[in-house]
Each structure stands twice: as C-alpha cells, then as structure tokens.
Amino acid sequence: MLRKRVLVLGSTGSIGKSTLEVADNLRDEILVVGLAAHSQWEKLLSQTLQYAPVGVALSDPAAAQRLEAEISRQKLPRPPKVYRGPQGLVDLVRATEGEVVVAAISGAAGLPASIAALETGKDLALANKESLVLAGSLLTRLARDKGRQVLPVDSEHSAIFQSLLAGRPEEVESVILTASGGPFRQKSLEEMRQVTKAEALQHPTWVMGAKITIDSATLMNKALEVIEARWLFDLAPEQIRVVVHPQSIIHSLVQFHDGSIICQLGPPDMKIPIQYALTFPRRRALPVKRLRLEEVGHLNFEAPDTERFPAIRLAYEVLRLGGTAAAVFNSANEVAVTAFLRDEIKFVEILECVEQTIRDHEIIADPSLDTLMAADAWGRKQATAHLTRYPSTRHRVVKDQSVLKE
Ligand code: NDP
Ligand code: MG
C-alpha cells in the first residue's frame, strides 16, 4: 500500500507531538514528509533526524537559520529543504507533495498554511480552530471547490463527525458540544477575580498548550468550538448547544429528529481523534488507555453559566453578527490571553477585553481574505488599546519601573 504523505504543522507542540506518536503507530500507512514550528529549532532538529522529512519550516527566521546550519553539519544522506519565516510555512506546504496537512499551529497564524494546504489539493486535518473561526466561510468554500476534506482533530468535533455517521444530514436536529467547565467551574465571580495564572493553567482533564488551556478556563475554547462546529458541519447557530460535562468522557453528541442522541466516548487522549482524522473512514488499533465505565462511575452534566463565563454567549452573538465579527473575537482573545500569560492583566479581564473590542467593531459583511486579515489586525490593535487602560496593566508598569530602579 502506498503510504499517506503527511505534513505536520506545529510539530513541536502538544497536538504535533501526539500526531507524531500516531505516525509511529501507523508506520505502514503514514509517511511524515513535512514538519513546521515557530522557534523551537532543537526540537525540530531531533524530529527531523527521526522522521527524515522532505521539507521543514520555522516561522522564526533566526531559529530557521540555526536549524539549517545544524542540519548541514549533520551531513544527512537526504537533508530536508529548510524554509524560513511565516512565508516559509506556506512555501513548505505548497512545495511538498502530500495528501494531508495536520494543522496544529496555535492561533490565527495557522491560517495561511491551512489555505495553502487546500489550494494545493491536500486534505486538512484541522486542530487549529482559530483559522476556521477567523475564515470559516473561505476555508469551507475552498475545500468544496477543490474537492478536499476538512477533517476535525478537535475532540468534540471528531465526536460529532463520528456520531453524524449514524444518520443523514437532513435528519440532524442539533449537535451538543461537551465542555469540561475548566478549573474554575465551581468558583464564584468574586473568586474568579482573584485566580492566578498557575491556577488557570491547571486543566482538570486535558494536558494541552498554554493558549488553549487558558481558553478552556475562560470557556473561550468552547466559544471558538461553537463557531468551528458551525463551519465544519454547516449548522445554524440554534442547532449548536453546549453542555458542561466535567469528566470529559463523552466528547460530544448529535441529536437526530427521532429523539435519538448518538455520541462518542473515550479516554481524554488526543491521539484518538488525530488518528481517526488520518485513517478515516477506517479505524486502526491504537494502544491508548481503555475506558472502563465502572471506574468512571458517574457522568455529570450541567448548563454553562454565561454570567461567569460570557464567552459562550458572545460566540452566539458573533455568529449572528457574521462577517468580520469572528475574526475580531478571535484576535482580541489572542491578545488578551497573551497579556494574561505575561501577568499583565487579570483573568476576568480577558473576556472584558474581548467583549469591549467586539462592541467597538463595525462589522463588514461577506469579507474577502484581505478584509478578514485587516479585521484580525484591527482586533489586535483595539484589544491592545483596551488592555493599556486596565488598572492591573498600570500596576505592572509601575512595578516594572520600580524593578528598574532597584
Ligand atoms: P502548543 O502551544 O502546544 O503548540 C503550538 C505549536 O504551534 C508549536 O509547534 C509552535 O511552535 C507552533 N506555532 C505557534 N505559533 C506559530 C507560528 N506563528 N508559526 C508557526 N508555528 C507556530 O499548542 P497545542 O498543540 O495545544 O494546540 C495547537 C492547536 O490545536 C491550537 O489551535 C489548539 O486550539 C488546537 N487544539 C489543541 C488541543 C490539545 O489537546 N492540545 C485540542 C484541540 C485543539 P514552537 O514550539 O516552535 O513555538
Ligand atoms: Mg476541543
């Protein structure tokens, strides 16, 4: 059998590394031909030595230069071509022949490579939900025009994708996304005002990259997933529901017209949805922990509290607004999460900033890619302007100056 040639973008991250473990599990079926990341050149070098890809890319040009120098020092029999800078990622995807691109870069930075993947006739195994939130209309249209698939890697969307096989599209009433509720599910609004970065980075059920872990604590991750589901499965906003399910065992559900609900369960291990995206419509053996329901004991469900977690309410508003709203929603969040991770703002200020930025935005309908990118940039600028007004940011500035005086 000819092996499927796969490019892994974001290979040094949480999803990227799990993807390479899946590739190890499917050596007879998958050939890794491309690897890309941002700046972790040493990690990318060791992956290059292990997988001997045709091409590698780092979006940080200086890191790419280090990588290239190190690769040439290694005197490999077939050294990979090294691509540099943000455009290098796109060039890697365009120049490397393959069947599937695993999009596992975090943030809107993943969009150009996702577009390049579809444009060059590759399927897109999509973890990078931000690119679909930003440009869902364009990516789904492009996939249709090119006859390619966008295969969900996100566990909830993989669960929906699998559950949808139980009926026809016109028989679907709604999809129900499950949310763990994050580490602050039981905290009061007062308590949430005081939570620390370390607490926010402690996800109760999943181990993930920093950005998505914070998004899970604010429930912004679920908000982005509502928009992701809208595009992946071509649903109306009122067909998408969210239920909090703290154990993260049921990964999501589909309700059909006859009242039946079909769902997918499994241990919280991203290798399962990653492998399914790569082997669909088949299922290959995978040595992950088996789920034993008698050990789980209870499965609990509750409605999300949109008072404490405004993100989900905003997601529906953004879907209703349409146009450039989602681009701004996403980019403002990226700015706010980065500021929170740098200890510049408080946890609750993340969503305050996102909401304010959305309120300031004048929506443009039917946006082109350029318009979406401009809205993304506008959202970043506006969110940054909001953040400088927060008392906690001012406090940091004062603190930093006192540090300088010492
Ligand atoms: P990580 O932070 O662990 O990894 C991010 C990866 O993207 C790294 O390889 C990083 O490279 C690379 N990267 C970041 N910015 C850029 C850039 N500007 N250009 C090129 N590469 C870049 O994130 P995760 O693996 O947790 O998440 C990746 C995506 O998958 C996100 O969109 C997330 O929402 C989604 N996802 C993740 C899940 C999870 O369980 N982790 C579950 C469902 C979805 P470097 O290491 O060099 O910085
Ligand atoms: Mg998810």
Side-chain angles (χ1 to χ4, degrees), residues 10-16 36-40 58-59 89 103-107 109 127-130 153-155 206-210 212 221 225 270:
S11 62
T12 54
S14 165
I15 293 288
H38 175 53
S39 62
Q40 294 204 66
L58 283 172
S59 59
L89 256 72
I105 287 172
S106 90
N128 178 221
K129 62 193 89 185
E130 295 92 342
V153 166
D154 213 347
S155 57
W206 296 93
V207 180
M208 310 177 284
I212 185 175
N221 182 48
E225 289 183 358
M270 287 306 294

PDB file of all heavy atoms in Angstrom, residues 10-16 36-40 58-59 89 103-107 109 127-130 153-155 206-210 212 221 225 270, ligand 1:
ATOM      1  N   GLY A  10       3.202  22.701  13.342  1.00  0.00           N
ATOM      2  CA  GLY A  10       3.078  22.798  14.801  1.00  0.00           C
ATOM      3  C   GLY A  10       3.557  21.498  15.433  1.00  0.00           C
ATOM      4  O   GLY A  10       3.026  21.067  16.460  1.00  0.00           O
ATOM      5  N   SER A  11       4.584  20.890  14.809  1.00  0.00           N
ATOM      6  CA  SER A  11       5.004  19.536  15.220  1.00  0.00           C
ATOM      7  C   SER A  11       5.655  19.513  16.600  1.00  0.00           C
ATOM      8  O   SER A  11       5.741  18.456  17.216  1.00  0.00           O
ATOM      9  CB  SER A  11       5.971  18.950  14.184  1.00  0.00           C
ATOM     10  OG  SER A  11       7.143  19.751  14.098  1.00  0.00           O
ATOM     11  N   THR A  12       6.122  20.659  17.088  1.00  0.00           N
ATOM     12  CA  THR A  12       6.779  20.684  18.399  1.00  0.00           C
ATOM     13  C   THR A  12       5.781  20.910  19.540  1.00  0.00           C
ATOM     14  O   THR A  12       6.161  20.905  20.705  1.00  0.00           O
ATOM     15  CB  THR A  12       7.833  21.811  18.443  1.00  0.00           C
ATOM     16  OG1 THR A  12       7.185  23.030  18.072  1.00  0.00           O
ATOM     17  CG2 THR A  12       8.971  21.545  17.468  1.00  0.00           C
ATOM     18  N   GLY A  13       4.527  21.110  19.212  1.00  0.00           N
ATOM     19  CA  GLY A  13       3.514  21.391  20.234  1.00  0.00           C
ATOM     20  C   GLY A  13       2.818  20.128  20.709  1.00  0.00           C
ATOM     21  O   GLY A  13       3.180  19.008  20.321  1.00  0.00           O
ATOM     22  N   SER A  14       1.814  20.339  21.532  1.00  0.00           N
ATOM     23  CA  SER A  14       1.099  19.220  22.152  1.00  0.00           C
ATOM     24  C   SER A  14       0.420  18.324  21.097  1.00  0.00           C
ATOM     25  O   SER A  14       0.628  17.110  21.069  1.00  0.00           O
ATOM     26  CB  SER A  14       0.093  19.824  23.143  1.00  0.00           C
ATOM     27  OG  SER A  14      -0.850  18.909  23.530  1.00  0.00           O
ATOM     28  N   ILE A  15      -0.355  18.934  20.213  1.00  0.00           N
ATOM     29  CA  ILE A  15      -1.025  18.143  19.167  1.00  0.00           C
ATOM     30  C   ILE A  15       0.005  17.587  18.183  1.00  0.00           C
ATOM     31  O   ILE A  15      -0.088  16.433  17.738  1.00  0.00           O
ATOM     32  CB  ILE A  15      -2.049  19.009  18.399  1.00  0.00           C
ATOM     33  CG1 ILE A  15      -3.215  19.396  19.308  1.00  0.00           C
ATOM     34  CG2 ILE A  15      -2.570  18.302  17.145  1.00  0.00           C
ATOM     35  CD1 ILE A  15      -4.164  18.283  19.644  1.00  0.00           C
ATOM     36  N   GLY A  16       0.998  18.407  17.836  1.00  0.00           N
ATOM     37  CA  GLY A  16       2.035  17.972  16.893  1.00  0.00           C
ATOM     38  C   GLY A  16       2.737  16.718  17.388  1.00  0.00           C
ATOM     39  O   GLY A  16       2.919  15.753  16.636  1.00  0.00           O
ATOM     40  N   ALA A  36       6.844  21.554  10.726  1.00  0.00           N
ATOM     41  CA  ALA A  36       6.986  23.006  10.878  1.00  0.00           C
ATOM     42  C   ALA A  36       6.625  23.433  12.290  1.00  0.00           C
ATOM     43  O   ALA A  36       5.789  22.808  12.944  1.00  0.00           O
ATOM     44  CB  ALA A  36       6.091  23.734   9.878  1.00  0.00           C
ATOM     45  N   ALA A  37       7.294  24.500  12.739  1.00  0.00           N
ATOM     46  CA  ALA A  37       7.001  25.069  14.061  1.00  0.00           C
ATOM     47  C   ALA A  37       7.378  26.549  14.039  1.00  0.00           C
ATOM     48  O   ALA A  37       7.639  27.118  12.966  1.00  0.00           O
ATOM     49  CB  ALA A  37       7.771  24.319  15.145  1.00  0.00           C
ATOM     50  N   HIS A  38       7.394  27.149  15.218  1.00  0.00           N
ATOM     51  CA  HIS A  38       7.707  28.572  15.279  1.00  0.00           C
ATOM     52  C   HIS A  38       9.202  28.793  15.514  1.00  0.00           C
ATOM     53  O   HIS A  38       9.921  29.239  14.617  1.00  0.00           O
ATOM     54  CB  HIS A  38       6.863  29.242  16.366  1.00  0.00           C
ATOM     55  CG  HIS A  38       7.198  30.672  16.574  1.00  0.00           C
ATOM     56  ND1 HIS A  38       7.217  31.572  15.533  1.00  0.00           N
ATOM     57  CD2 HIS A  38       7.544  31.361  17.685  1.00  0.00           C
ATOM     58  CE1 HIS A  38       7.567  32.761  15.996  1.00  0.00           C
ATOM     59  NE2 HIS A  38       7.782  32.652  17.292  1.00  0.00           N
ATOM     60  N   SER A  39       9.684  28.448  16.711  1.00  0.00           N
ATOM     61  CA  SER A  39      11.084  28.772  17.005  1.00  0.00           C
ATOM     62  C   SER A  39      11.879  27.653  17.678  1.00  0.00           C
ATOM     63  O   SER A  39      13.082  27.768  17.838  1.00  0.00           O
ATOM     64  CB  SER A  39      11.131  30.020  17.894  1.00  0.00           C
ATOM     65  OG  SER A  39      10.476  29.743  19.114  1.00  0.00           O
ATOM     66  N   GLN A  40      11.211  26.598  18.088  1.00  0.00           N
ATOM     67  CA  GLN A  40      11.936  25.545  18.828  1.00  0.00           C
ATOM     68  C   GLN A  40      12.761  24.676  17.864  1.00  0.00           C
ATOM     69  O   GLN A  40      12.392  23.545  17.555  1.00  0.00           O
ATOM     70  CB  GLN A  40      10.945  24.685  19.594  1.00  0.00           C
ATOM     71  CG  GLN A  40      10.227  25.438  20.693  1.00  0.00           C
ATOM     72  CD  GLN A  40       9.741  24.488  21.757  1.00  0.00           C
ATOM     73  OE1 GLN A  40      10.526  23.869  22.455  1.00  0.00           O
ATOM     74  NE2 GLN A  40       8.432  24.351  21.878  1.00  0.00           N
ATOM     75  N   LEU A  58      10.498  26.882   9.904  1.00  0.00           N
ATOM     76  CA  LEU A  58      10.323  27.592  11.176  1.00  0.00           C
ATOM     77  C   LEU A  58       9.922  29.020  10.851  1.00  0.00           C
ATOM     78  O   LEU A  58      10.576  29.679  10.021  1.00  0.00           O
ATOM     79  CB  LEU A  58      11.619  27.579  12.000  1.00  0.00           C
ATOM     80  CG  LEU A  58      11.942  26.267  12.728  1.00  0.00           C
ATOM     81  CD1 LEU A  58      13.344  26.314  13.332  1.00  0.00           C
ATOM     82  CD2 LEU A  58      10.920  25.962  13.822  1.00  0.00           C
ATOM     83  N   SER A  59       8.861  29.502  11.508  1.00  0.00           N
ATOM     84  CA  SER A  59       8.397  30.845  11.172  1.00  0.00           C
ATOM     85  C   SER A  59       9.316  31.919  11.753  1.00  0.00           C
ATOM     86  O   SER A  59       9.314  33.057  11.306  1.00  0.00           O
ATOM     87  CB  SER A  59       6.956  31.053  11.617  1.00  0.00           C
ATOM     88  OG  SER A  59       6.851  30.864  12.995  1.00  0.00           O
ATOM     89  N   LEU A  89       6.438  28.783   5.901  1.00  0.00           N
ATOM     90  CA  LEU A  89       5.447  27.744   6.211  1.00  0.00           C
ATOM     91  C   LEU A  89       4.546  27.482   5.013  1.00  0.00           C
ATOM     92  O   LEU A  89       4.237  26.333   4.671  1.00  0.00           O
ATOM     93  CB  LEU A  89       4.570  28.215   7.381  1.00  0.00           C
ATOM     94  CG  LEU A  89       4.869  27.578   8.722  1.00  0.00           C
ATOM     95  CD1 LEU A  89       6.179  28.094   9.267  1.00  0.00           C
ATOM     96  CD2 LEU A  89       3.750  27.839   9.694  1.00  0.00           C
ATOM     97  N   ALA A 103      -2.965  20.576  10.662  1.00  0.00           N
ATOM     98  CA  ALA A 103      -2.814  21.982  11.052  1.00  0.00           C
ATOM     99  C   ALA A 103      -2.882  22.056  12.571  1.00  0.00           C
ATOM    100  O   ALA A 103      -3.960  22.028  13.161  1.00  0.00           O
ATOM    101  CB  ALA A 103      -3.913  22.816  10.417  1.00  0.00           C
ATOM    102  N   ALA A 104      -1.714  22.113  13.222  1.00  0.00           N
ATOM    103  CA  ALA A 104      -1.657  22.117  14.693  1.00  0.00           C
ATOM    104  C   ALA A 104      -0.837  23.281  15.222  1.00  0.00           C
ATOM    105  O   ALA A 104      -0.224  23.203  16.275  1.00  0.00           O
ATOM    106  CB  ALA A 104      -1.115  20.790  15.203  1.00  0.00           C
ATOM    107  N   ILE A 105      -0.806  24.356  14.432  1.00  0.00           N
ATOM    108  CA  ILE A 105      -0.229  25.613  14.905  1.00  0.00           C
ATOM    109  C   ILE A 105      -1.274  26.237  15.806  1.00  0.00           C
ATOM    110  O   ILE A 105      -2.468  26.020  15.599  1.00  0.00           O
ATOM    111  CB  ILE A 105       0.084  26.523  13.695  1.00  0.00           C
ATOM    112  CG1 ILE A 105       1.308  25.966  12.960  1.00  0.00           C
ATOM    113  CG2 ILE A 105       0.278  27.972  14.095  1.00  0.00           C
ATOM    114  CD1 ILE A 105       1.589  26.652  11.651  1.00  0.00           C
ATOM    115  N   SER A 106      -0.844  27.012  16.792  1.00  0.00           N
ATOM    116  CA  SER A 106      -1.880  27.636  17.612  1.00  0.00           C
ATOM    117  C   SER A 106      -2.083  29.082  17.163  1.00  0.00           C
ATOM    118  O   SER A 106      -1.135  29.771  16.809  1.00  0.00           O
ATOM    119  CB  SER A 106      -1.560  27.487  19.106  1.00  0.00           C
ATOM    120  OG  SER A 106      -0.813  28.556  19.548  1.00  0.00           O
ATOM    121  N   GLY A 107      -3.335  29.482  17.108  1.00  0.00           N
ATOM    122  CA  GLY A 107      -3.676  30.859  16.775  1.00  0.00           C
ATOM    123  C   GLY A 107      -3.905  31.109  15.295  1.00  0.00           C
ATOM    124  O   GLY A 107      -3.716  30.226  14.443  1.00  0.00           O
ATOM    125  N   ALA A 109      -2.231  32.560  13.270  1.00  0.00           N
ATOM    126  CA  ALA A 109      -1.010  32.413  12.458  1.00  0.00           C
ATOM    127  C   ALA A 109      -1.069  31.169  11.589  1.00  0.00           C
ATOM    128  O   ALA A 109      -0.346  31.063  10.592  1.00  0.00           O
ATOM    129  CB  ALA A 109       0.209  32.345  13.376  1.00  0.00           C
ATOM    130  N   ALA A 127      -6.621  20.924  13.669  1.00  0.00           N
ATOM    131  CA  ALA A 127      -6.683  21.166  15.118  1.00  0.00           C
ATOM    132  C   ALA A 127      -6.785  22.667  15.357  1.00  0.00           C
ATOM    133  O   ALA A 127      -7.437  23.123  16.292  1.00  0.00           O
ATOM    134  CB  ALA A 127      -5.441  20.619  15.805  1.00  0.00           C
ATOM    135  N   ASN A 128      -6.148  23.425  14.472  1.00  0.00           N
ATOM    136  CA  ASN A 128      -6.043  24.880  14.580  1.00  0.00           C
ATOM    137  C   ASN A 128      -7.397  25.566  14.357  1.00  0.00           C
ATOM    138  O   ASN A 128      -7.673  26.141  13.309  1.00  0.00           O
ATOM    139  CB  ASN A 128      -5.003  25.360  13.548  1.00  0.00           C
ATOM    140  CG  ASN A 128      -4.829  26.858  13.501  1.00  0.00           C
ATOM    141  OD1 ASN A 128      -4.714  27.440  12.429  1.00  0.00           O
ATOM    142  ND2 ASN A 128      -4.834  27.513  14.645  1.00  0.00           N
ATOM    143  N   LYS A 129      -8.246  25.497  15.399  1.00  0.00           N
ATOM    144  CA  LYS A 129      -9.616  26.003  15.271  1.00  0.00           C
ATOM    145  C   LYS A 129      -9.647  27.499  14.972  1.00  0.00           C
ATOM    146  O   LYS A 129     -10.566  27.993  14.342  1.00  0.00           O
ATOM    147  CB  LYS A 129     -10.417  25.685  16.524  1.00  0.00           C
ATOM    148  CG  LYS A 129      -9.902  26.312  17.784  1.00  0.00           C
ATOM    149  CD  LYS A 129     -10.556  25.697  19.029  1.00  0.00           C
ATOM    150  CE  LYS A 129      -9.789  24.503  19.517  1.00  0.00           C
ATOM    151  NZ  LYS A 129     -10.362  23.770  20.597  1.00  0.00           N
ATOM    152  N   GLU A 130      -8.608  28.233  15.439  1.00  0.00           N
ATOM    153  CA  GLU A 130      -8.619  29.688  15.246  1.00  0.00           C
ATOM    154  C   GLU A 130      -8.688  30.043  13.758  1.00  0.00           C
ATOM    155  O   GLU A 130      -9.328  31.026  13.393  1.00  0.00           O
ATOM    156  CB  GLU A 130      -7.387  30.340  15.879  1.00  0.00           C
ATOM    157  CG  GLU A 130      -7.329  30.228  17.406  1.00  0.00           C
ATOM    158  CD  GLU A 130      -6.563  29.000  17.908  1.00  0.00           C
ATOM    159  OE1 GLU A 130      -6.361  28.050  17.098  1.00  0.00           O
ATOM    160  OE2 GLU A 130      -6.162  28.978  19.082  1.00  0.00           O
ATOM    161  N   VAL A 153      -9.878  17.462  14.057  1.00  0.00           N
ATOM    162  CA  VAL A 153      -8.991  16.842  15.045  1.00  0.00           C
ATOM    163  C   VAL A 153      -9.475  17.185  16.453  1.00  0.00           C
ATOM    164  O   VAL A 153      -9.330  16.397  17.380  1.00  0.00           O
ATOM    165  CB  VAL A 153      -7.532  17.315  14.829  1.00  0.00           C
ATOM    166  CG1 VAL A 153      -6.652  16.963  16.015  1.00  0.00           C
ATOM    167  CG2 VAL A 153      -6.967  16.703  13.547  1.00  0.00           C
ATOM    168  N   ASP A 154     -10.066  18.354  16.597  1.00  0.00           N
ATOM    169  CA  ASP A 154     -10.622  18.758  17.889  1.00  0.00           C
ATOM    170  C   ASP A 154     -11.533  17.625  18.387  1.00  0.00           C
ATOM    171  O   ASP A 154     -12.364  17.110  17.625  1.00  0.00           O
ATOM    172  CB  ASP A 154     -11.440  20.052  17.684  1.00  0.00           C
ATOM    173  CG  ASP A 154     -11.372  20.959  18.888  1.00  0.00           C
ATOM    174  OD1 ASP A 154     -10.925  20.503  19.944  1.00  0.00           O
ATOM    175  OD2 ASP A 154     -11.772  22.133  18.748  1.00  0.00           O
ATOM    176  N   SER A 155     -11.365  17.236  19.647  1.00  0.00           N
ATOM    177  CA  SER A 155     -12.039  16.012  20.124  1.00  0.00           C
ATOM    178  C   SER A 155     -13.563  16.110  20.019  1.00  0.00           C
ATOM    179  O   SER A 155     -14.221  15.135  19.642  1.00  0.00           O
ATOM    180  CB  SER A 155     -11.625  15.712  21.562  1.00  0.00           C
ATOM    181  OG  SER A 155     -11.927  16.813  22.387  1.00  0.00           O
ATOM    182  N   TRP A 206      -7.461  17.622  30.607  1.00  0.00           N
ATOM    183  CA  TRP A 206      -6.600  17.522  29.429  1.00  0.00           C
ATOM    184  C   TRP A 206      -5.260  18.223  29.678  1.00  0.00           C
ATOM    185  O   TRP A 206      -5.207  19.227  30.380  1.00  0.00           O
ATOM    186  CB  TRP A 206      -7.242  18.225  28.223  1.00  0.00           C
ATOM    187  CG  TRP A 206      -8.523  17.646  27.707  1.00  0.00           C
ATOM    188  CD1 TRP A 206      -9.781  18.021  28.074  1.00  0.00           C
ATOM    189  CD2 TRP A 206      -8.685  16.628  26.711  1.00  0.00           C
ATOM    190  NE1 TRP A 206     -10.706  17.294  27.353  1.00  0.00           N
ATOM    191  CE2 TRP A 206     -10.068  16.437  26.519  1.00  0.00           C
ATOM    192  CE3 TRP A 206      -7.784  15.861  25.950  1.00  0.00           C
ATOM    193  CZ2 TRP A 206     -10.586  15.510  25.611  1.00  0.00           C
ATOM    194  CZ3 TRP A 206      -8.309  14.936  25.037  1.00  0.00           C
ATOM    195  CH2 TRP A 206      -9.684  14.771  24.887  1.00  0.00           C
ATOM    196  N   VAL A 207      -4.190  17.703  29.041  1.00  0.00           N
ATOM    197  CA  VAL A 207      -2.893  18.389  29.060  1.00  0.00           C
ATOM    198  C   VAL A 207      -2.683  18.975  27.671  1.00  0.00           C
ATOM    199  O   VAL A 207      -2.634  18.243  26.685  1.00  0.00           O
ATOM    200  CB  VAL A 207      -1.742  17.405  29.382  1.00  0.00           C
ATOM    201  CG1 VAL A 207      -0.404  18.135  29.390  1.00  0.00           C
ATOM    202  CG2 VAL A 207      -1.999  16.723  30.711  1.00  0.00           C
ATOM    203  N   MET A 208      -2.563  20.311  27.575  1.00  0.00           N
ATOM    204  CA  MET A 208      -2.548  20.973  26.260  1.00  0.00           C
ATOM    205  C   MET A 208      -1.586  22.150  26.290  1.00  0.00           C
ATOM    206  O   MET A 208      -1.019  22.475  27.324  1.00  0.00           O
ATOM    207  CB  MET A 208      -3.955  21.490  25.925  1.00  0.00           C
ATOM    208  CG  MET A 208      -5.052  20.481  26.100  1.00  0.00           C
ATOM    209  SD  MET A 208      -6.694  21.147  25.776  1.00  0.00           S
ATOM    210  CE  MET A 208      -7.006  22.103  27.262  1.00  0.00           C
ATOM    211  N   GLY A 209      -1.421  22.814  25.135  1.00  0.00           N
ATOM    212  CA  GLY A 209      -0.610  24.022  25.068  1.00  0.00           C
ATOM    213  C   GLY A 209      -1.211  25.129  25.936  1.00  0.00           C
ATOM    214  O   GLY A 209      -2.383  25.074  26.327  1.00  0.00           O
ATOM    215  N   ALA A 210      -0.398  26.159  26.246  1.00  0.00           N
ATOM    216  CA  ALA A 210      -0.815  27.204  27.189  1.00  0.00           C
ATOM    217  C   ALA A 210      -2.038  27.977  26.701  1.00  0.00           C
ATOM    218  O   ALA A 210      -2.972  28.230  27.471  1.00  0.00           O
ATOM    219  CB  ALA A 210       0.348  28.162  27.436  1.00  0.00           C
ATOM    220  N   ILE A 212      -4.568  27.286  24.597  1.00  0.00           N
ATOM    221  CA  ILE A 212      -5.862  26.572  24.661  1.00  0.00           C
ATOM    222  C   ILE A 212      -6.227  26.229  26.115  1.00  0.00           C
ATOM    223  O   ILE A 212      -7.406  26.153  26.458  1.00  0.00           O
ATOM    224  CB  ILE A 212      -5.887  25.324  23.751  1.00  0.00           C
ATOM    225  CG1 ILE A 212      -7.277  24.685  23.744  1.00  0.00           C
ATOM    226  CG2 ILE A 212      -4.823  24.336  24.080  1.00  0.00           C
ATOM    227  CD1 ILE A 212      -7.451  23.528  22.788  1.00  0.00           C
ATOM    228  N   ASN A 221     -12.522  28.581  24.724  1.00  0.00           N
ATOM    229  CA  ASN A 221     -12.285  27.421  23.862  1.00  0.00           C
ATOM    230  C   ASN A 221     -13.623  26.865  23.354  1.00  0.00           C
ATOM    231  O   ASN A 221     -13.767  26.555  22.166  1.00  0.00           O
ATOM    232  CB  ASN A 221     -11.501  26.348  24.619  1.00  0.00           C
ATOM    233  CG  ASN A 221     -11.188  25.152  23.742  1.00  0.00           C
ATOM    234  OD1 ASN A 221     -10.709  25.303  22.619  1.00  0.00           O
ATOM    235  ND2 ASN A 221     -11.492  23.960  24.226  1.00  0.00           N
ATOM    236  N   GLU A 225     -15.202  26.746  19.642  1.00  0.00           N
ATOM    237  CA  GLU A 225     -15.680  25.460  19.109  1.00  0.00           C
ATOM    238  C   GLU A 225     -17.105  25.542  18.585  1.00  0.00           C
ATOM    239  O   GLU A 225     -17.482  24.806  17.665  1.00  0.00           O
ATOM    240  CB  GLU A 225     -15.559  24.377  20.181  1.00  0.00           C
ATOM    241  CG  GLU A 225     -14.100  24.022  20.434  1.00  0.00           C
ATOM    242  CD  GLU A 225     -13.885  22.908  21.441  1.00  0.00           C
ATOM    243  OE1 GLU A 225     -14.875  22.397  22.005  1.00  0.00           O
ATOM    244  OE2 GLU A 225     -12.724  22.549  21.661  1.00  0.00           O
ATOM    245  N   MET A 270      -5.798  12.838  22.929  1.00  0.00           N
ATOM    246  CA  MET A 270      -5.962  13.430  21.595  1.00  0.00           C
ATOM    247  C   MET A 270      -5.482  12.498  20.473  1.00  0.00           C
ATOM    248  O   MET A 270      -5.790  12.738  19.309  1.00  0.00           O
ATOM    249  CB  MET A 270      -5.239  14.778  21.505  1.00  0.00           C
ATOM    250  CG  MET A 270      -5.928  15.903  22.258  1.00  0.00           C
ATOM    251  SD  MET A 270      -7.660  16.127  21.801  1.00  0.00           S
ATOM    252  CE  MET A 270      -7.500  16.674  20.104  1.00  0.00           C
TER     253      MET A 270
HETATM  254  P1  NDP B   1       1.070  24.230  21.591  1.00  0.00           P
HETATM  255  O1  NDP B   1       1.274  25.572  22.155  1.00  0.00           O
HETATM  256  O2  NDP B   1       1.439  23.041  22.414  1.00  0.00           O
HETATM  257  O3  NDP B   1       1.869  24.120  20.194  1.00  0.00           O
HETATM  258  C1  NDP B   1       1.757  25.087  19.213  1.00  0.00           C
HETATM  259  C2  NDP B   1       2.594  24.702  18.014  1.00  0.00           C
HETATM  260  O4  NDP B   1       2.451  25.700  17.011  1.00  0.00           O
HETATM  261  C3  NDP B   1       4.105  24.612  18.304  1.00  0.00           C
HETATM  262  O5  NDP B   1       4.663  23.663  17.440  1.00  0.00           O
HETATM  263  C4  NDP B   1       4.595  26.011  17.944  1.00  0.00           C
HETATM  264  O6  NDP B   1       5.978  26.052  17.596  1.00  0.00           O
HETATM  265  C5  NDP B   1       3.729  26.278  16.727  1.00  0.00           C
HETATM  266  N1  NDP B   1       3.499  27.694  16.468  1.00  0.00           N
HETATM  267  C6  NDP B   1       2.999  28.628  17.298  1.00  0.00           C
HETATM  268  N2  NDP B   1       2.922  29.824  16.692  1.00  0.00           N
HETATM  269  C7  NDP B   1       3.406  29.636  15.439  1.00  0.00           C
HETATM  270  C8  NDP B   1       3.620  30.487  14.331  1.00  0.00           C
HETATM  271  N3  NDP B   1       3.335  31.792  14.372  1.00  0.00           N
HETATM  272  N4  NDP B   1       4.134  29.939  13.202  1.00  0.00           N
HETATM  273  C9  NDP B   1       4.441  28.627  13.147  1.00  0.00           C
HETATM  274  N5  NDP B   1       4.251  27.773  14.170  1.00  0.00           N
HETATM  275  C10 NDP B   1       3.763  28.283  15.290  1.00  0.00           C
HETATM  276  O7  NDP B   1      -0.445  24.153  21.131  1.00  0.00           O
HETATM  277  P2  NDP B   1      -1.426  22.898  21.056  1.00  0.00           P
HETATM  278  O8  NDP B   1      -0.744  21.760  20.383  1.00  0.00           O
HETATM  279  O9  NDP B   1      -2.050  22.673  22.373  1.00  0.00           O
HETATM  280  O10 NDP B   1      -2.570  23.476  20.107  1.00  0.00           O
HETATM  281  C11 NDP B   1      -2.388  23.626  18.711  1.00  0.00           C
HETATM  282  C12 NDP B   1      -3.733  23.904  18.068  1.00  0.00           C
HETATM  283  O11 NDP B   1      -4.570  22.786  18.264  1.00  0.00           O
HETATM  284  C13 NDP B   1      -4.477  25.104  18.667  1.00  0.00           C
HETATM  285  O12 NDP B   1      -5.177  25.768  17.661  1.00  0.00           O
HETATM  286  C14 NDP B   1      -5.458  24.458  19.632  1.00  0.00           C
HETATM  287  O13 NDP B   1      -6.625  25.223  19.800  1.00  0.00           O
HETATM  288  C15 NDP B   1      -5.770  23.159  18.909  1.00  0.00           C
HETATM  289  N6  NDP B   1      -6.216  22.076  19.784  1.00  0.00           N
HETATM  290  C16 NDP B   1      -5.379  21.595  20.749  1.00  0.00           C
HETATM  291  C17 NDP B   1      -5.785  20.566  21.577  1.00  0.00           C
HETATM  292  C18 NDP B   1      -4.865  19.977  22.595  1.00  0.00           C
HETATM  293  O14 NDP B   1      -5.231  18.977  23.241  1.00  0.00           O
HETATM  294  N7  NDP B   1      -3.675  20.485  22.797  1.00  0.00           N
HETATM  295  C19 NDP B   1      -7.142  20.005  21.487  1.00  0.00           C
HETATM  296  C20 NDP B   1      -7.919  20.567  20.403  1.00  0.00           C
HETATM  297  C21 NDP B   1      -7.463  21.569  19.595  1.00  0.00           C
HETATM  298  P3  NDP B   1       7.122  26.304  18.731  1.00  0.00           P
HETATM  299  O15 NDP B   1       7.084  25.068  19.583  1.00  0.00           O
HETATM  300  O16 NDP B   1       8.378  26.431  17.954  1.00  0.00           O
HETATM  301  O17 NDP B   1       6.727  27.538  19.479  1.00  0.00           O
END
